[in-house]
Amino acid sequence: MSKIGRLTQRADFLAAAGGRRFHTERFSAQGRLRGGDAKAPDGVPADPEGLRIGFTITKRVGHATERNRIRRRLRAALRATADDLPSPAADVVLIARRPALSAEFATLIEDLRRAVPVVTKPQTRKDTDTRAQGSSPRRGRGKPGSDKPISHGPAAGAKPTMPLLASGPGADAPPGRAPAPSPIPNACDGPTDG
């Protein structure tokens, strides 16, 4: 059985978050290949060989008993698949979701067999070129690849509304900020005995 290490340092978790990702209904996996920069807790360089895995299970998943059960299930699935997993010098973080609590154990094993090779795969030149340019998949509306900003103004063919005219102390406010409403002249602040 191959030895799988454990991630314990926050810096390793953050570094893995910048690597490849793989998502299933039960968990998300994040991973990166380790270079010579990984250090053990005592400051000496860590052993560059082997796979290290960490778990993140947030309070949104459930209360402490449920989170611990998910962690135990994922560790057991990891032990069951240890011989089938690649063992490069890599760090992998598994971020659990609630369905991992009730999923079939065989499903967890299959998810791990699919996720770990994907997130520990070396990056190709295309991947590094894309990251160097800073382009990422677009989110939201608009055509993919279009660099035009999205306009939230009036629809095509619609008449723009007239701007509010302000007078009084807020009239010289910068455009884009609505001035404070001015009090009504001769208004009474409270009941009058009349």
Side-chain angles (χ1 to χ4, degrees):
M1 181 170 157
S2 62
K3 173 116 171 72
I4 295 177
R6 197 172 141 206
L7 280 182
T8 56
Q9 302 294 315
R10 183 174 189 267
D12 294 331
F13 279 80
L14 294 176
R20 291 183 179 268
R21 295 169 187 239
F22 184 86
H23 304 285
T24 69
E25 183 183 343
R26 289 148 294 282
F27 63 82
S28 289
Q30 302 172 334
R32 72 170 181 110
L33 292 175
R34 247 186 348 264
D37 59 343
K39 296 202 182 291
D42 55 1
V44 296
D47 182 16
E49 296 302 317
L51 184 65
R52 295 189 307 175
I53 294 194
F55 299 96
T56 299
I57 306 169
T58 64
K59 288 184 178 180
R60 289 189 303 172
V61 172
H63 53 78
T65 307
E66 293 170 331
R67 294 194 310 267
N68 288 333
R69 183 161 189 244
I70 291 171
R71 187 177 290 113
R72 285 193 309 269
R73 294 190 85 210
L74 287 175
R75 282 184 183 154
L78 197 58
R79 279 191 299 271
T81 61
D83 291 333
D84 299 337
L85 296 178
S87 58
D91 294 339
V92 176
V93 175
L94 300 177
I95 303 168
R97 294 196 179 103
R98 180 128 184 117
L101 184 63
S102 59
E104 292 288 328
F105 191 68
T107 306
L108 287 177
I109 290 173
E110 185 58 35
D111 286 346
L112 279 171
R113 283 187 180 139
R114 288 181 18 228
V116 173
V118 169
V119 298
T120 59
K121 186 169 73 170
Q123 289 188 346
T124 62
R125 182 181 173 123
K126 180 181 174 184
D127 294 337
T128 55
D129 288 347
T130 303
R131 287 192 181 214
Q133 294 172 358
S135 66
S136 62
R138 290 180 53 92
R139 293 184 181 184
R141 298 182 298 179
K143 293 180 183 178
S146 171
D147 292 333
K148 291 182 188 176
I150 298 170
S151 173
H152 295 288
K159 294 181 181 178
T161 57
M162 293 295 291
L164 294 175
L165 298 177
S167 61
D172 54 323
R177 285 189 58 135
S182 59
I184 300 171
N186 299 330
C188 181
D189 289 341
T192 59
D193 294 316

